[in-house]
């Protein structure tokens, strides 16, 4: 009977240890960030205390069943053993947290370096796109035809072209800009596209004033509109319709009807990848991209200052 009790208690101790490990892992999964270490340890300490008490009660009982040990500790001895056990568990917890912190820090460092590399590559691509020879060539062709036929419109075209390139040269130096700045820029950018494509392109902007002060990575709207023009037919009989608005959750939504070109343009998705990378670097949710064969939609979060100060 004593042997049977010993086996039962031994297995029960093993189950307690497994339960303790599972609980610690669950707490770690719930609070994985380095900034959450104090909260994580605050939750882990009670687990170790309870498990220490339970394990030592079982150990006292098991050792009492074995005559060879003649284990009859006094209350003061039990207290000393408890504190030794608790101290050992606390040291184990600290060593575990130290190992976890170092491992997590190393993972974060590697991930940050990867993001930085992606960001540098994408910034290089954006710089190339800023002086896009095709866009400049088409704009100059449009200007050339306006100079003789519509001199006043040609003057306005030059003004809008200057605004576009001034914004392109200045704004990408920062990580964020206001949605209002982006929309003002898009008015000039759209004017150039409209002058070239006439009735082949339509842009609708429906943004309430409350959202205009919120933030997003610069050139986001330009990349999305450029992407729509690049991959779809733009003609008066079937205009490319682009809409910029917000969804019920307060995210920015850029949407265009799909009328893909008969000859598909090669796409490396650099524009969309650039936007996603910038959001990752800001530790924000990435854009949601959907394509249902009739509409192409990109939904991305607008950021407030308070969201960024929490990071």
């Amino acid at each position: 009977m004593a042997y049977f009790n010993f086996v039962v208690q031994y297995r029960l101790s093993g189950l307690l240890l497994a339960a303790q490990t599972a609980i610690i892992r669950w707490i770690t999964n719930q609070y994985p960030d380095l900034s959450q270490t104090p909260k994580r340890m605050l939750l882990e300490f009670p687990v170790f205390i309870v498990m220490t008490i339970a394990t030592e009660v079982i150990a006292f009982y098991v050792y009492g069943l074995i005559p060879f040990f003649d284990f009859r500790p006094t209350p003061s001895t039990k207290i000393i053993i408890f504190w030794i056990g608790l101290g050992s568990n606390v040291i184990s917890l600290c060593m575990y947290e130290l190992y976890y912190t170092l491992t997590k820090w190393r993972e974060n460092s590697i991930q940050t370096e990867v993001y930085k590399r992606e960001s540098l590559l994408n910034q290089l691509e954006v710089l190339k796109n800023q002086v896009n020879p095709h866009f400049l060539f088409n704009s100059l062709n449009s200007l050339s035809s306006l100079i003789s036929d519509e001199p006043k419109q040609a003057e306005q075209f030059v003004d809008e072209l200057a605004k576009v390139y001034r914004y392109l040269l200045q704004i990408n130096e920062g990580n964020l800009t206001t949605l209002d700045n982006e929309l003002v820029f898009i008015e000039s950018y759209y004017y150039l596209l409209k002058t070239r494509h006439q009735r082949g392109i339509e842009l609708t902007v429906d943004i309430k004033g409350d959202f205009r002060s919120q933030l997003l990575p610069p050139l986001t709207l330009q990349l999305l509109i450029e992407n729509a023009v690049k991959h779809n037919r733009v003609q008066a009989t079937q205009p490319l319709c682009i809409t910029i608005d917000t969804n019920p959750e307060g995210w920015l939504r850029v949407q265009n009807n799909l009328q893909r070109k008969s000859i598909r343009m090669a796409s490396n998705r650099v524009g969309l990848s650039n936007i996603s990378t910038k959001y990752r670097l800001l530790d924000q949710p990435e854009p949601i991209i959907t394509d249902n064969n009739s509409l192409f939609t990109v939904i991305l979060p607008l950021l407030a200052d308070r969201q960024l100060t929490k990071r």
Side-chain angles (χ1 to χ4, degrees), residues 97-108:
E97 282 296 334
L98 178 62
Y99 172 78
Y100 179 83
T101 299
L102 290 174
T103 303
K104 195 71 176 176
W105 176 82
R106 183 172 179 275
E107 290 176 358
N108 289 348

Side-chain angles (χ1 to χ4, degrees), residues 49-265:
I49 292 173
V50 171
M51 292 301 177
T52 298
I53 294 173
T55 302
E56 292 191 356
V57 167
I58 292 172
F60 291 153
Y61 182 77
V62 169
Y63 280 113
L65 293 176
I66 304 175
F68 175 79
F69 289 114
D70 192 23
F71 186 70
R72 297 184 182 84
T74 63
S76 59
T77 303
K78 289 182 179 180
I79 292 173
I80 293 172
I81 293 174
F82 165 76
W83 284 111
I84 292 174
L86 182 60
S88 300
N89 278 338
V90 169
I91 292 172
S92 299
L93 174 61
C94 292
M95 292 179 65
Y96 166 78
E97 282 296 334
L98 178 62
Y99 172 78
Y100 179 83
T101 299
L102 290 174
T103 303
K104 195 71 176 176
W105 176 82
R106 183 172 179 275
E107 290 176 358
N108 289 348
S109 298
I110 293 173
Q111 190 177 52
T112 299
E113 288 303 316
V114 170
Y115 284 168
K116 284 181 179 178
R117 184 173 181 274
E118 288 183 9
S119 179
L120 288 174
L121 291 174
N122 284 321
Q123 285 176 18
L124 176 61
E125 193 65 33
V126 169
L127 288 173
K128 291 178 182 177
N129 289 335
Q130 287 178 355
V131 195
N132 188 322
H134 296 291
F135 177 74
L136 181 59
F137 179 76
N138 291 329
S139 297
L140 292 176
N141 271 346
S142 300
L143 177 61
S144 178
S145 62
L146 287 174
I147 289 174
S148 56
D149 299 334
E150 299 285 346
K152 290 185 177 180
Q153 190 177 354
E155 289 182 17
Q156 185 177 355
F157 188 91
V158 170
D159 289 341
E160 300 301 332
L161 184 62
K163 290 178 184 177
V164 165
Y165 274 89
R166 189 182 304 116
Y167 188 86
L168 289 174
L169 292 172
Q170 293 175 352
I171 198 63
N172 201 47
E173 296 174 0
N175 292 327
L176 292 168
T177 186
T178 63
L179 178 57
D180 190 59
N181 284 341
E182 283 282 285
L183 292 174
V184 170
F185 161 68
I186 286 302
E187 287 180 10
S188 298
Y189 186 74
Y190 174 62
Y191 180 88
L192 303 182
L193 293 174
K194 187 69 174 176
T195 301
R196 179 186 170 203
H197 297 290
Q198 300 294 321
R199 291 184 297 169
I201 187 169
E202 296 292 339
L203 174 66
T204 302
V205 178
D206 183 17
I207 302 290
K208 295 180 180 177
D210 294 344
F211 294 105
R212 288 178 174 263
S213 61
Q214 294 190 304
L215 308 173
L216 74 167
L219 302 179
T220 296
L221 295 180
Q222 184 261 340
L223 287 171
L224 294 176
I225 292 176
E226 183 182 55
N227 189 67
V229 173
K230 178 180 178 181
H231 296 287
N232 293 279
R233 295 190 307 275
V234 182
Q235 52 195 42
T237 55
Q238 288 182 299
L240 174 65
C241 299
I242 304 171
T243 302
I244 301 175
D245 61 4
T246 53
N247 70 359
E249 288 74 32
W251 285 36
L252 185 67
R253 177 170 55 195
V254 181
Q255 193 172 66
N256 65 269
N257 56 323
L258 278 173
Q259 39 195 40
R260 293 187 176 93
K261 294 178 179 178
S262 54
I263 299 177
R264 291 286 185 91
M265 296 288 292

